[in-house]
């Protein structure tokens, strides 16, 4: 057990990871147990971003065990929290999970709708990340170019200084 003063975030992440392992092994009752522990600790720590992921995982467990309506409610809760926090990646994930639930409920129009929302959001995330990477690469290129120019100018300055000193020495020697 953790004391009241201790940071709950690391323990919450460990519980979430244990829940994921249990889910991967199709031990859904155990997965749900650990996800709920993780969610409770994230709520105490007020780690809302981590809560989104855990809430979505809980929805996955309910969906995988055939409780589609309960799973759908958790996925919708993840959507609401993602929208509130403007967490696009988590929002996209929640939309895809909602689409899966609607597909299992044979509500294909809703499944398509949410799948498209998730896809469009992933495209937006990808475009934004690509733009950031391009801007970073451009900045690095510009910096390297300016460094090269500075190095060249310093070399030219040294060469001019050497020529000037040599000319002064030649003039002094000739006089």
């Amino acid at each position: 057990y953790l004391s009241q003063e201790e940071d709950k975030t690391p323990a919450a992440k460990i519980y979430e990871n244990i829940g994921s392992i249990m889910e991967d092994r199709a031990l859904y009752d155990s997965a749900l147990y650990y996800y709920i522990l993780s969610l409770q600790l994230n709520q105490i720590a007020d780690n809302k971003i981590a809560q989104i992921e855990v809430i979505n995982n809980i929805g996955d467990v309910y969906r995988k065990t055939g409780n589609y309506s309960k799973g759908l409610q958790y996925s919708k809760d993840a959507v609401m929290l993602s929208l509130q926090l403007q967490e696009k990646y988590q929002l996209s994930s929640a939309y895809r999970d909602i689409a899966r639930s609607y597909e299992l409920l044979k509500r294909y129009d809703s499944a398509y709708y949410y799948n498209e929302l998730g896809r469009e959001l992933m495209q937006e995330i990808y475009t934004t990340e690509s733009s950031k990477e391009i801007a970073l690469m451009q900045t690095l290129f510009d910096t390297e170019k300016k460094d090269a120019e500075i190095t060249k100018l310093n070399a030219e300055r040294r060469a001019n200084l050497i020529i000037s000193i040599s000319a002064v020495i030649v003039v002094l020697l000739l006089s």
Side-chain angles (χ1 to χ4, degrees), residues 87-96 100 114-130:
E87 282 294 320
K88 291 181 180 183
Y89 184 81
Q90 295 297 337
L91 181 60
S92 174
S93 179
Y95 281 154
R96 286 192 313 272
R100 287 184 196 117
Y114 281 99
N115 200 38
E116 279 300 298
L117 285 177
R119 187 193 61 74
E120 288 171 7
L121 204 48
M122 280 308 293
Q123 182 65 38
E124 181 182 325
I125 292 167
Y126 175 76
T127 301
T128 301
E129 291 300 316
S130 295

Side-chain angles (χ1 to χ4, degrees), residues 107-161:
R107 293 179 54 192
Y108 300 114
D109 56 340
S110 296
Y112 177 80
Y113 173 77
Y114 281 99
N115 200 38
E116 279 300 298
L117 285 177
R119 187 193 61 74
E120 288 171 7
L121 204 48
M122 280 308 293
Q123 182 65 38
E124 181 182 325
I125 292 167
Y126 175 76
T127 301
T128 301
E129 291 300 316
S130 295
S131 296
K132 286 179 184 177
E133 287 181 26
I134 289 169
L136 176 63
M137 296 297 271
Q138 185 64 46
T139 301
L140 290 173
F141 174 77
D142 291 344
T143 302
E144 287 180 24
K145 186 177 174 183
K146 287 178 183 176
D147 285 345
E149 286 178 31
I150 290 169
T151 302
K152 179 183 171 190
L153 289 172
N154 284 336
E156 288 175 3
R157 197 179 89 214
R158 277 190 221 110
N160 287 338
L161 182 62

Side-chain angles (χ1 to χ4, degrees), residues 2-162:
L2 298 169
S3 71
Q4 282 299 101
E5 300 81 37
E6 286 185 84
D7 182 12
K8 311 288 191 256
T9 304
K13 190 62 180 172
I14 290 169
Y15 286 143
E16 181 187 353
N17 289 339
I18 293 171
S20 293
I21 292 167
M22 296 298 161
E23 184 180 353
D24 290 345
R25 293 181 174 199
L27 300 170
Y28 299 119
D29 288 339
S30 296
L32 189 58
Y33 172 79
Y34 286 106
Y35 284 146
I36 289 172
L37 282 176
S38 177
L39 180 60
Q40 290 169 343
L41 290 178
N42 280 315
Q43 288 169 334
I44 291 169
D46 199 34
N47 187 346
K48 293 188 184 307
I49 293 173
Q51 288 177 45
I52 299 168
E53 189 173 347
V54 176
I55 290 168
N56 218 16
N57 287 337
I58 292 170
D60 289 345
V61 170
Y62 281 119
R63 187 183 72 245
K64 290 177 180 178
T65 56
N67 192 342
Y68 305 134
S69 59
K70 196 163 188 177
L72 195 54
Q73 186 54 54
Y74 274 93
S75 295
K76 287 182 178 181
D77 289 346
V79 164
M80 295 306 292
L81 194 51
S82 297
L83 287 170
Q84 177 187 347
L85 299 174
Q86 299 179 8
E87 282 294 320
K88 291 181 180 183
Y89 184 81
Q90 295 297 337
L91 181 60
S92 174
S93 179
Y95 281 154
R96 286 192 313 272
D97 286 345
I98 290 173
R100 287 184 196 117
S101 292
Y102 279 131
E103 181 182 359
L104 291 167
L105 290 167
K106 299 187 185 330
R107 293 179 54 192
Y108 300 114
D109 56 340
S110 296
Y112 177 80
Y113 173 77
Y114 281 99
N115 200 38
E116 279 300 298
L117 285 177
R119 187 193 61 74
E120 288 171 7
L121 204 48
M122 280 308 293
Q123 182 65 38
E124 181 182 325
I125 292 167
Y126 175 76
T127 301
T128 301
E129 291 300 316
S130 295
S131 296
K132 286 179 184 177
E133 287 181 26
I134 289 169
L136 176 63
M137 296 297 271
Q138 185 64 46
T139 301
L140 290 173
F141 174 77
D142 291 344
T143 302
E144 287 180 24
K145 186 177 174 183
K146 287 178 183 176
D147 285 345
E149 286 178 31
I150 290 169
T151 302
K152 179 183 171 190
L153 289 172
N154 284 336
E156 288 175 3
R157 197 179 89 214
R158 277 190 221 110
N160 287 338
L161 182 62
I162 291 170

